[in-house]
Amino acid sequence: MAQTSRRRIDYTALADFRYEIRRFLNFSEDAARVAGIEPHQHQALLVIKGLPANHVATVGVLAERLQIQHHSAVELTDRLESKGLIRRSRSKADRREVLLGLTLRGEKLLQKLTVAHRAELQSMGPKLLAVLESAIARKRHGPGTPNSLPPVFSASNRRRRTSKSH
C-alpha cells in the first residue's frame, strides 16, 4: 500500500490552496488587462526582467519559463515588440540566438504592474501562506485552520463576475 493512501488526504486544504492561488491569478489577469496587455504578455515581461543574473533572455528561455511551445513564444515576442514593450537583438557570441530585453515603455509598464501585484501579495500573503502550510502538512491542524469560503454574493465576487461578462 502506498504511503499516501495510508494517511488521509486533506482535500479541503488542497481545495483552499487552489482557491487562493486562483484568486491571485484572477487579480493578476485583471490587472494586466486594465494596463492594456494580455496576461501572458505581462508574464513574459516579468520573465525577461526577472531572470537570474546568470541567465540570458531568449525566446527558448521564455518558452520554458512560461511553459509554452517555442512557436507560441515567438508569436508572443512579436506582439510585445509591436507594442514597443520589448526589443530583440542578435547575440554577439552566437548570431543564431535572439536576445530579448525590455524597452523603457516595457520597464515602466512592468513596474506599474509589479507595484500592484506586491500590494496584493502583501494583502493576501498571510492567508496564502496559511493555506499552503495546511496543504503540505501531514495532518489537519484542527479548528481555526483556514478553510472558510467567502459569501457567494459578496461585492468583490459580484464585481469579478460582472467585469468578466463584458
Side-chain angles (χ1 to χ4, degrees):
M1 184 181 278
Q3 187 173 1
T4 56
S5 63
R6 286 187 210 169
R7 64 177 184 229
R8 193 173 142 271
I9 298 171
D10 190 345
Y11 293 104
T12 301
L14 291 172
D16 287 347
F17 178 61
R18 292 289 304 191
Y19 170 70
E20 293 301 326
I21 289 172
R22 195 65 236 150
R23 283 186 55 216
F24 179 74
L25 291 175
N26 280 334
F27 162 81
S28 181
E29 292 165 2
D30 290 346
R33 287 186 182 104
V34 166
I37 60 174
E38 290 300 314
H40 257 105
Q41 293 173 334
H42 169 235
Q43 293 169 26
L45 295 175
L46 186 57
V47 165
I48 294 166
K49 181 69 174 178
L51 282 174
N54 60 339
H55 287 76
V56 178
T58 64
V59 174
V61 169
L62 184 64
E64 169 60 28
R65 289 294 193 129
L66 293 179
Q67 293 291 287
I68 60 177
Q69 296 294 314
H70 187 272
H71 68 273
S72 297
V74 170
E75 292 169 9
L76 182 55
T77 56
D78 287 344
R79 290 191 300 274
L80 288 168
E81 189 175 41
S82 72
K83 288 183 173 247
L85 300 173
I86 67 166
R87 65 184 171 293
R88 296 184 224 209
S89 60
R90 293 272 177 200
S91 168
K92 292 186 188 333
D94 181 352
R95 299 293 297 162
R96 296 170 297 176
E97 191 173 55
V98 177
L99 307 178
L100 306 174
L102 300 185
T103 63
L104 182 58
R105 182 174 177 204
E107 293 265 1
K108 287 180 179 179
L109 180 61
L110 180 60
Q111 183 178 15
K112 176 182 168 188
L113 285 166
T114 300
V115 167
H117 279 73
R118 287 200 50 142
E120 182 68 11
L121 281 172
Q122 287 171 341
S123 169
M124 73 176 302
K127 175 77 172 180
L128 187 58
L129 287 173
V131 296
L132 172 60
E133 288 173 355
S134 180
I136 62 176
R138 292 194 182 269
K139 63 181 181 175
R140 194 72 170 159
H141 296 294
T145 302
N147 66 356
S148 60
L149 297 175
V152 175
F153 294 106
S154 71
S156 65
N157 285 341
R158 262 195 311 266
R159 180 188 52 79
R160 192 173 294 130
R161 279 195 299 269
T162 304
S163 66
K164 286 185 178 178
S165 65
H166 290 287

